[in-house]
Amino acid sequence: MRSSNKSRSRNKNNNRRNSLGNVINRVFDSAGPEGKVRGTPQQVIEKYQTLARDAQLSGDRVAAENFAQHAEHYLRMLGEAQREMAERAAEATERQQQNQQNNNQPSDQDDNRRQAENRENAPKADNGDSSQPDIAESSSLVETPEGVQAAAPRAPRKPRARRPAKPAAEGQPAATPDA
């Protein structure tokens, strides 16, 4: 029993080698007594069962038993993979149900926090008797550049000093600085 795709057996992630999840759709090359049988586990099982039936009809009990054992091997592999997939599906649905329950039923702490936020964010009752603040008297206004009187002009900057010219290579005229 070998996997038909040899590059998959040379992968760097060897810890997943025993995973049976992809056995159902994997194509196998089975080197049986009558040569290679190639296909998915279901196809290999059917082929070995027909070979066993043909061998039994021809009177070869040994070959019939051999083909039947090969079919049984692939039948066990397929059954184990299907059981594992069913367990994974059951675990996934169970996790999904738990997540839904956790999302639908918030904890007591979440309820208390939401109630406190609602109290803080709720509009205060205003009966209209309170006076409005005078904006001109408010000292919390931000001062903008337009409102500030122009400051004294800055002193002009000094011009930058020029770097000395690089020495000219042989046969090249010297670079003249632009003045």
Side-chain angles (χ1 to χ4, degrees):
M1 171 196 76
R2 286 191 324 225
S3 176
S4 64
N5 193 349
K6 291 182 182 178
S7 67
R8 289 194 185 266
S9 65
R10 295 181 188 158
N11 65 0
K12 293 179 176 91
N13 193 2
N14 288 333
N15 61 350
R16 295 187 66 190
R17 181 171 276 180
N18 292 334
S19 175
L20 297 174
N22 63 350
V23 170
I24 294 172
N25 296 326
R26 186 187 303 171
V27 176
F28 287 98
D29 286 337
S30 175
E34 292 288 320
K36 277 192 174 180
V37 176
R38 179 178 167 84
T40 63
Q42 187 61 43
Q43 293 169 334
V44 172
I45 290 167
E46 291 170 2
K47 179 67 174 174
Y48 277 129
Q49 286 175 342
T50 57
L51 288 171
R53 193 176 323 113
D54 292 344
Q56 189 175 17
L57 291 175
S58 67
D60 191 355
R61 292 187 335 204
V62 174
E65 182 62 27
N66 192 354
F67 289 130
Q69 287 177 358
H70 277 77
E72 183 182 0
H73 167 72
Y74 284 96
L75 189 63
R76 287 182 182 178
M77 283 181 51
L78 183 62
E80 186 176 341
Q82 288 173 339
R83 273 192 301 279
E84 183 177 314
M85 287 183 66
E87 288 174 5
R88 285 182 186 171
E91 289 173 2
T93 56
E94 184 177 321
R95 269 186 264 123
Q96 188 178 20
Q97 288 174 352
Q98 287 176 352
N99 287 340
Q100 286 176 350
Q101 288 175 353
N102 290 342
N103 291 341
N104 291 340
Q105 296 177 356
S107 66
D108 291 338
Q109 291 176 347
D110 290 340
D111 287 340
N112 293 340
R113 183 176 41 83
R114 283 192 193 112
Q115 288 175 357
E117 287 175 1
N118 288 341
R119 275 186 251 124
E120 290 172 4
N121 295 334
K124 306 293 185 226
D126 187 13
N127 57 7
D129 294 340
S130 64
S131 63
Q132 296 293 319
D134 189 10
I135 296 176
E137 294 175 8
S138 177
S139 63
S140 64
L141 294 178
V142 176
E143 197 170 297
T144 60
E146 295 85 20
V148 177
Q149 299 262 337
R154 291 184 184 176
R157 288 184 167 182
K158 288 186 199 176
R160 285 185 162 178
R162 296 190 179 257
R163 290 185 182 171
K166 293 182 181 178
E170 290 182 31
Q172 298 273 341
T176 59
D178 294 334

